[in-house]
Amino acid sequence: MKITFIGAGSTVFAKNVLGDVLATADISDAEIALYDIDAQRLDESYKMLTNINANINQNRARIHQYAGVELRREALKQADFVINAIQVGGYQPSTVIDFDIPKKYGLRQTIADTLGVGGLFRALRTLPVMFDLARDMEEVCPNAWLLNYTNPMASLTGAMLRYTSIKTVGLCHSVQVCAETLLKSVDMPTDNVVFNIAGINHMAWLLDIRRNGEDLYPEIRRRSLALTEQHDDRVRHEIMHKFGYYVTESSEHNAEYMPYWIKRNYPELIQQFNIPLDEYPRRCIEQIERWHMQREQLTHNENLTHTRSLEYASYIIESMMLDKPYKIGGNVLNNGLITNLPREACVEVPCLVDAQGITPCYVGDLPPQCAALNRTNINTQLLTIEAAVTGKKEHIYHAALLDPHTSAELSIDDTIRLCDELIAAHGDWLPSYH
């Protein structure tokens, strides 16, 4: 079995995902191909994984590194699983552009990796690379599964499923931690909980949560309303009270997926709901600084070990290779799974994994208000894909004009001017649009 990791220079994430493989006995003899365009970061990940392989796996895995676009096909050749964790454009220049130019127009963001003009342009610069990756896979590993961890999850995964032949599933850890996060926030125990989640990535809904058959939502809502102290999850709690259900991804994310919180005419909402504007650039700077301290510990520690995490990838690989059924929350093409969302949308639903692959579960209708909120995000996602596939600039405008937060703050003309300025600023990071 061969696993190829695209974007392996993401050393900490590579440790979690590939360390999980090395820590799982039945798949730990894999051939692992590490690929990145940054040779230095790639070599650091290689040294780290080599140490883990020696310390917990008796060097059973065969690990190779491939640096540069010219070696990507070689890294992919005959792979059974391809893990994608790339960031096209990086913090500098692209993330800075995504935040600074909208700010000139009075449009503030928190994370900007999924929706909004930041998420839109992140998708536009990433999709050409994803399509190149798909073409290579179609030639050298056409039967491989692509496990996509890169954001914006719905736009990228949906485009791969609709416009390539590659078997693709999008993976995000927000589903795993959703119920536990909510229960902890209202000081309720997290054991023996059964829950059901469906929707779209970063805006999937905790539709049901029970312990021993008892519906926990009434007590959760009561305790939530009684919270008096300021906390970091106020947006999600407000969504739960106003729309009836808790949403999977964090409050800083969801604050920019809807038009209700980041508003120039209501600046008091930022403090009231504890919304961290410009959060993602701050995180990038902190991560870069932290990496300088972590580098030595991770890449030169000959005693480095790893304990299996909750990331889905190793469980999916183990499940498919050994025919051990496993349940995930996966991002897949809708095709009628959620009956009140568009068929071509990428949705996040329960999926069964076994030797047959990944089988999504039928959900039916979401509560109408939840489906309506999802559709506001799906509109922008589908038009972003349309822009990337057709090369038409007008669809970039359409995607931005239908974005809930952008359209709540800017006029049509300013939105179009903003898009044009973002296109110009990205330069060669974007293909040409006509």
Side-chain angles (χ1 to χ4, degrees), residues 332-338 341-345 347 362:
V332 297
L333 207 59
N334 188 19
N335 281 334
L337 299 169
I338 299 179
L341 294 182
R343 293 184 65 88
E344 67 270 29
V347 295
Y362 174 82

Side-chain angles (χ1 to χ4, degrees), residues 270-432:
I270 300 302
Q271 183 174 356
Q272 180 184 342
F273 287 96
N274 204 16
I275 297 170
L277 296 173
D278 299 323
E279 172 67 11
Y280 188 65
R282 267 196 305 277
R283 288 185 192 176
C284 290
I285 293 168
E286 290 170 3
Q287 286 170 353
I288 291 167
E289 291 175 352
R290 190 162 57 243
W291 173 243
H292 294 316
M293 295 182 288
Q294 285 181 309
R295 176 187 281 122
E296 193 68 24
Q297 176 189 356
L298 285 177
T299 59
H300 299 295
N301 181 2
E302 294 183 357
N303 299 312
L304 189 65
T305 63
H306 180 79
T307 303
R308 197 176 191 184
S309 75
L310 294 177
E311 294 291 354
Y312 279 142
S314 69
Y315 296 92
I316 291 172
I317 294 168
E318 181 184 31
S319 180
M320 288 192 192
M321 298 304 296
L322 277 69
D323 198 21
K324 292 172 59 174
Y326 184 70
K327 177 185 172 183
I328 66 168
N331 289 271
V332 297
L333 207 59
N334 188 19
N335 281 334
L337 299 169
I338 299 179
T339 42
N340 52 355
L341 294 182
R343 293 184 65 88
E344 67 270 29
C346 180
V347 295
E348 193 165 65
V349 297
C351 299
L352 173 68
V353 188
D354 58 17
Q356 299 301 309
I358 296 175
T359 305
C361 298
Y362 174 82
V363 174
D365 274 3
L366 293 177
Q369 71 277 18
C370 297
L373 283 168
N374 283 165
R375 285 193 291 266
T376 66
N377 284 223
I378 289 169
N379 293 334
T380 293
Q381 292 163 358
L382 294 182
L383 283 159
T384 299
I385 295 172
E386 199 71 17
V389 170
T390 65
K392 292 182 178 180
K393 188 186 292 186
E394 65 194 71
H395 290 313
I396 300 178
Y397 302 152
H398 297 154
L401 288 167
L402 286 166
D403 172 67
H405 176 42
T406 305
S407 59
E409 291 284 85
L410 302 187
S411 68
I412 289 178
D413 289 343
D414 273 353
T415 299
I416 290 173
R417 279 192 283 267
L418 169 59
C419 289
D420 285 341
E421 192 168 341
L422 283 164
I423 291 168
H426 277 90
D428 291 341
W429 288 108
L430 289 183
S432 59

Side-chain angles (χ1 to χ4, degrees), residues 213-256:
E214 177 192 359
D215 182 2
L216 298 182
Y217 254 136
E219 179 64 11
I220 289 170
R221 293 189 184 102
R222 186 191 70 78
R223 291 186 180 218
S224 173
L225 287 170
L227 290 174
T228 57
E229 75 280 2
Q230 182 82 316
H231 60 88
D232 292 336
D233 206 19
R234 296 185 70 86
V235 168
R236 280 202 287 180
H237 281 247
E238 182 72 357
I239 292 169
M240 177 176 66
H241 294 305
K242 296 302 190 286
F243 291 94
Y245 298 88
Y246 190 69
V247 70
T248 47
E249 190 47 81
S250 63
S251 283
E252 62 264 25
H253 275 277
N254 272 277
E256 64 183 10

Side-chain angles (χ1 to χ4, degrees), residues 87 94-95 97-99 102 108-123 125 151-152 252-253 256-257 278-281:
Q87 184 181 357
S94 294
T95 295
I97 292 170
D98 289 343
F99 276 83
R108 303 298 301 273
Q109 300 171 98
T110 54
I111 306 295
D113 72 348
T114 296
L115 209 69
V117 289
L120 163 57
F121 277 84
R122 191 181 182 106
R125 63 180 179 263
N151 284 323
E252 62 264 25
H253 275 277
E256 64 183 10
Y257 302 161
D278 299 323
E279 172 67 11
Y280 188 65

